[in-house]
């Protein structure tokens, strides 16, 4: 079995935040997963402007690279932090806070749940 894999995006999955998590706007999410049940999930993700709560309870770690757009992440008890195209961001396990999409965003992500 080859140790080299070519990951191809699947058809997009369209979603929105659950009503209880929605704080502002009508954001729409699109994700293109590129890996199946591997320990490392990878893919592309896009969102339209809006604000929603995030609850990352658990052990997963996400790294993502912003291809375009601007976001603001606010961890509970901390000041908001802005990120834009070209930024590489890591979200550690148990992150609680909000995600604001300021301008339409696209990212490539890698999620590891050890």
């Amino acid at each position: 079995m080859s140790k080299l894999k070519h990951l191809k995006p699947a058809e997009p999955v369209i979603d929105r935040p659950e009503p209880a998590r929605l704080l502002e706007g009508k954001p729409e999410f699109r994700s293109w997963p590129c890996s199946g049940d591997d320990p490392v999930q990878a893919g592309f993700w896009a969102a339209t402007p809006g604000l929603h709560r995030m609850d990352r309870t658990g052990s997963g770690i996400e790294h993502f690279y912003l291809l375009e757009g601007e976001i603001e992440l606010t961890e509970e008890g901390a000041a908001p932090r802005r990120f834009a195209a070209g930024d590489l961001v890591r979200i550690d396990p148990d992150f609680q806070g909000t995600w604001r999409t300021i301008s339409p965003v696209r990212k490539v992500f890698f999620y590891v749940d050890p």
Side-chain angles (χ1 to χ4, degrees), residues 13-81:
V13 176
I14 300 170
D15 200 7
R16 294 186 178 277
E18 297 173 12
R21 293 185 190 268
L22 182 62
L23 298 172
E24 183 179 292
K26 295 181 180 180
E28 180 180 276
F29 311 140
R30 291 178 184 260
S31 59
W32 294 264
C34 294
S35 55
D37 294 327
D38 296 337
V40 177
Q41 299 296 310
F44 298 93
W45 186 84
T48 59
L51 175 67
H52 66 282
R53 292 186 201 284
M54 289 180 66
D55 178 359
R56 291 290 182 90
T57 302
S59 60
I61 299 169
E62 180 183 2
H63 290 82
F64 63 87
Y65 180 78
L66 288 170
L67 300 167
E68 64 182 48
E70 185 176 11
I71 63 170
E72 181 179 84
L73 299 178
T74 306
E75 187 171 6
E76 284 183 3
R81 296 184 60 189

Side-chain angles (χ1 to χ4, degrees), residues 97-108:
T98 61
W99 174 297
R100 178 185 302 276
T101 300
I102 297 166
S103 62
V105 68
R106 285 188 323 129
K107 70 179 185 178
V108 60

